Amino acid sequence: QVQVAPRLLTVTRLVAPLAMEQSADKPRIKLSYFKVRGRAELTRLVFAVGGVDYEDERVSREEMQRRKEAGDLPFGQFPTLQVGDQVFAQSYSIAKYAARVANLMPSDPLEVLKAESIVDATDDVRSKFVPIRYLPVQPAERLQRYEQFFRDTLPPLLKNFNKFCTDDGFLVGGRLSIADLAVFNMCDYLLSPSCEVQAASPNHTAMGAGCLDAFEQLKAHRLKIEAIPEVSAWLGKRPKTPHDNVLKLTDADFS
């Protein structure tokens, strides 16, 4: 069992009260996305760790389409973040704003640059992994694509993240930041089946579940972040699904 350093627990206790000191006149925050984790999960993690009061709105694909046709989505897509009467888009911009609200963005400009570069680098992984589930191919070919991804594409990318992980458990500035949560979130979606085809194949599910095994520092970092009380509490209460493909999930798949 992983032992969490006292320094880690101290940081997490300090973050939430700072973020929760919201005056009555501050605008309300609403995050809108589908019922799945997807591109909103990093922001949800940030808000959970920072103790930020917000509305976690989860809507159907039909409702998203209605809002798109009505012109309610700035770029015609989810997620959106409403702050007061203003609506904003783009998942990583939203997550970085959330980090500032939650006191999870460094104050030093160079550390901000490092943290944001790590956040953006996680999309290099996501952009190669998630689209596989939407390919218009037969299940056997999709499984071949997953095998190629876990065998050839992913290891060099994870090697880059592995070198940033240090013994104190934090990626930037010696304290918990959005960079840690972004890398944790990346590992989280890699370890879980991405779609119904991968979930139905024990071999390809195992490829995902074991993809961190060759990267000891990254694996240890994930376990340390998972052990933060606010993170583990969020993981315990968020909806559970067999995979994360919003196109195939039904209400019966959520628990």
Side-chain angles (χ1 to χ4, degrees):
Q1 184 173 354
V2 175
Q3 298 295 318
V4 181
R7 194 168 21 168
L8 183 61
L9 297 177
T10 300
V11 170
T12 59
R13 293 191 186 108
L14 288 174
V15 168
L18 286 170
M20 292 177 68
E21 290 176 358
Q22 298 185 41
S23 61
D25 60 345
K26 284 195 173 181
R28 301 296 298 173
I29 298 174
K30 179 169 71 174
L31 177 66
S32 300
Y33 193 62
F34 304 116
K35 297 178 182 179
V36 296
R37 299 191 299 273
R39 287 190 171 274
E41 194 63 13
L42 175 55
T43 297
R44 292 173 183 146
L45 275 168
V46 169
F47 281 155
V49 172
V52 176
D53 183 23
Y54 78 106
E55 180 182 350
D56 184 9
E57 183 188 37
R58 302 185 183 224
V59 305
S60 65
R61 292 173 57 215
E62 292 76 17
E63 173 60 15
M64 182 269 188
Q65 186 63 30
R66 186 198 68 76
R67 296 184 190 185
K68 180 178 180 179
E69 292 172 356
D72 295 336
L73 308 180
F75 295 100
Q77 58 193 14
F78 267 174
T80 60
L81 188 75
Q82 182 172 345
V83 183
D85 59 358
Q86 299 185 75
V87 179
F88 302 91
Q90 297 302 316
S91 57
Y92 290 107
S93 296
I94 289 171
K96 292 168 189 175
Y97 168 81
R100 290 177 171 87
V101 173
N103 193 38
L104 287 166
M105 184 68 80
S107 56
D108 178 79
L110 284 179
E111 290 186 351
V112 170
L113 178 60
K114 183 177 181 181
E116 292 192 353
S117 70
I118 292 173
V119 172
D120 293 345
T122 65
D123 196 53
D124 293 340
V125 174
R126 181 181 181 83
S127 64
K128 295 174 177 63
F129 178 54
V130 172
I132 297 174
R133 68 179 173 223
Y134 301 124
L135 291 174
V137 297
Q138 293 299 312
E141 184 175 346
R142 189 178 301 179
L143 291 176
Q144 290 178 355
R145 298 293 185 94
Y146 280 122
E147 185 172 350
Q148 181 181 27
F149 172 81
F150 286 115
R151 184 190 64 229
D152 302 327
T153 306
L154 184 60
L157 297 172
L158 294 186
K159 183 178 180 181
N160 291 330
F161 289 101
N162 195 62
K163 68 186 179 185
F164 282 106
C165 298
T166 58
D167 292 338
D168 69 1
F170 304 119
L171 301 177
V172 180
R175 67 184 295 268
L176 183 68
S177 75
I178 186 176
D180 299 291
L181 296 178
V183 171
F184 173 83
N185 184 57
M186 175 193 73
C187 294
D188 187 49
Y189 62 68
L190 287 171
L191 294 172
S192 305
S194 178
C195 71
E196 71 287 353
V197 174
Q198 187 188 2
S201 169
N203 287 341
H204 293 81
T205 297
M207 289 178 192
C211 70
L212 301 183
D213 289 350
F215 306 95
E216 294 183 4
Q217 290 171 283
L218 180 58
K219 188 174 183 178
H221 175 270
R222 189 194 75 81
L223 292 173
K224 289 179 181 180
I225 302 305
E226 184 180 55
I228 296 172
E230 292 83 357
V231 173
S232 60
W234 171 251
L235 297 179
K237 74 177 185 179
R238 72 182 181 182
K240 307 294 189 297
T241 58
H243 56 81
D244 208 42
N245 185 358
V246 68
L247 300 182
K248 296 296 183 179
L249 290 169
T250 67
D251 288 343
D253 292 317
F254 290 82
S255 61

